[in-house]
Amino acid sequence: MAVDLSLSMDARKAAVTADGGAPAAAEAPVVFGVDSLNVSYGAHRAVRDVSLAIGEREVTALIGPSGCGKSTVLRSLNRMNDLVPGARVSGTVSYYGQDLYAPGVDAIEVRRRIGMVFQKPNPFPKSIYENVAYGLRVEGRRSRTELDDRVEEALTGAALWDEVKDKLRSSGFALSGGQQQRLCIARAIAVRPDVLLMDEPCSALDPVATARIEDLMAKLADEFTLVIVTHNMQQAARVSDRTAFFTADTDSEGERHGRLVEYDTTDRIFSSPADRRTEDYISGRFG
């Protein structure tokens, strides 16, 4: 029997504190409660004992050097790691109190509620309109009026409507890199998820396109919970409410595991971090 992921008002109002991390913002309902998360790929443990809580309608940035497990943690939030052969996840990842890895939870429904935008823009080989309408059609929506309204709503939400409204039948590949990324954001939000995960969404973009995406993130946070992975510390400081700093520790056998070092409000992380490793990374002394 499938587990119902619909959310009660009591669940939305519940606020918890992450073990080993700072509490979510005052009175902000907790979307994700991550407790003792471990992720392995085959014999290699990529992430070890990560615990944190992510608040509703906040922008949470995951930062740290390459290989520290940021993207692995991000992909655990909507079960994208299920698609990687040999991947194993232990610990708890709860979504409004529901364990996302519990028996009976539909991973496809998880990914509908928790959308994702990847590092490199990946529009489908379809028109701009059909890129955005794709997820709606998968849901079984066929009404042309409804599709038209939802496509316009999503493109407007992604700050792209005015640029493409007269060429909706053109290929998504005809857009610039920054426009393609916003098209992918429109495609993700068209199905009205609760959460948007973004894995280095600006790393392949020029500074002008990056600024557009950052402005868009601020607007999207009014409606969605955002979790982003970024190597750009200035970007994390500009756009996020809370920041989690990860690093890779080496155990006695020489294996490197991603670990959460510190998690707090972004202001505190960048102005007065509690851990010397965080300060060294932010100041550029390593990483």
Side-chain angles (χ1 to χ4, degrees):
M1 181 178 179
V3 173
D4 185 4
L5 289 179
S6 61
L7 309 177
S8 69
M9 288 304 296
D10 287 344
R12 285 189 177 276
K13 291 177 181 177
V16 301
T17 299
D19 292 337
E27 299 184 5
V30 169
V31 179
F32 293 108
V34 179
D35 185 23
S36 301
L37 174 67
N38 292 268
V39 183
S40 299
Y41 300 116
H44 173 61
R45 185 181 297 187
V47 169
R48 183 168 188 160
D49 296 332
V50 170
S51 297
L52 73 166
I54 294 173
E56 187 176 73
R57 295 190 182 179
E58 293 181 344
V59 181
T60 300
L62 312 184
I63 66 171
S66 297
C68 68
K70 306 182 299 295
S71 292
T72 294
V73 170
L74 188 77
R75 291 166 64 91
S76 298
L77 299 179
N78 70 343
R79 294 187 52 170
M80 287 294 290
N81 285 322
D82 291 12
L83 306 176
V84 179
R88 300 190 312 281
V89 177
S90 64
T92 302
V93 179
S94 65
Y95 168 75
Y96 288 105
Q98 168 63 55
D99 183 355
L100 291 181
Y101 289 84
V105 173
D106 183 352
I108 294 175
E109 175 65 9
V110 169
R111 295 179 199 125
R112 190 197 71 76
R113 290 178 177 271
I114 306 167
M116 192 159 193
V117 176
F118 296 92
Q119 180 175 357
K120 183 178 179 181
N122 60 339
F124 297 149
K126 298 175 179 289
S127 69
I128 294 168
Y129 183 99
E130 289 301 332
N131 261 274
V132 181
Y134 180 83
L136 300 170
R137 294 190 189 280
V138 170
E139 289 185 342
R141 302 181 188 278
R142 296 290 182 266
S143 164
R144 173 57 68 176
T145 299
E146 181 182 19
L147 288 174
D148 287 350
D149 289 346
R150 294 282 288 272
V151 167
E152 181 177 349
E153 174 189 279
L155 287 169
T156 300
L160 191 57
W161 174 251
D162 288 341
E163 297 169 46
V164 302
K165 62 185 178 182
D166 297 324
K167 48 185 178 182
L168 295 176
R169 301 302 169 186
S170 299
S171 169
F173 293 130
L175 300 174
S176 69
Q179 288 175 320
Q180 286 186 22
Q181 192 65 301
R182 281 183 282 146
L183 177 63
C184 293
I185 292 171
R187 186 176 67 200
I189 66 176
V191 296
R192 297 175 178 167
D194 298 317
V195 180
L196 197 58
L197 309 179
M198 306 178 112
D199 194 356
E200 298 197 59
C202 302
S203 65
L205 305 180
D206 62 46
V208 173
T210 293
R212 294 291 298 272
I213 297 292
E214 289 183 4
D215 289 342
L216 177 56
M217 287 181 196
K219 294 176 183 177
L220 289 171
D222 291 336
E223 185 174 354
F224 305 98
T225 298
L226 272 63
V227 186
I228 67 169
V229 165
T230 179
H231 272 102
N232 186 329
M233 286 178 289
Q234 290 75 26
Q235 180 176 86
R238 286 191 296 264
V239 306
S240 69
D241 301 295
R242 298 174 61 80
T243 296
F245 170 61
F246 292 79
T247 192
D249 289 344
T250 303
D251 63 20
S252 59
E253 298 179 356
E255 286 281 343
R256 289 174 62 80
H257 310 295
R259 298 289 294 266
L260 175 62
V261 173
E262 188 170 354
Y263 179 48
D264 210 327
T265 63
T266 295
D267 286 345
R268 288 179 182 172
I269 289 290
F270 282 88
S271 64
S272 55
D275 194 288
R276 178 61 181 269
R277 291 170 293 178
T278 309
E279 183 180 353
D280 286 347
Y281 182 76
I282 289 171
S283 65
R285 283 194 283 270
F286 89 92

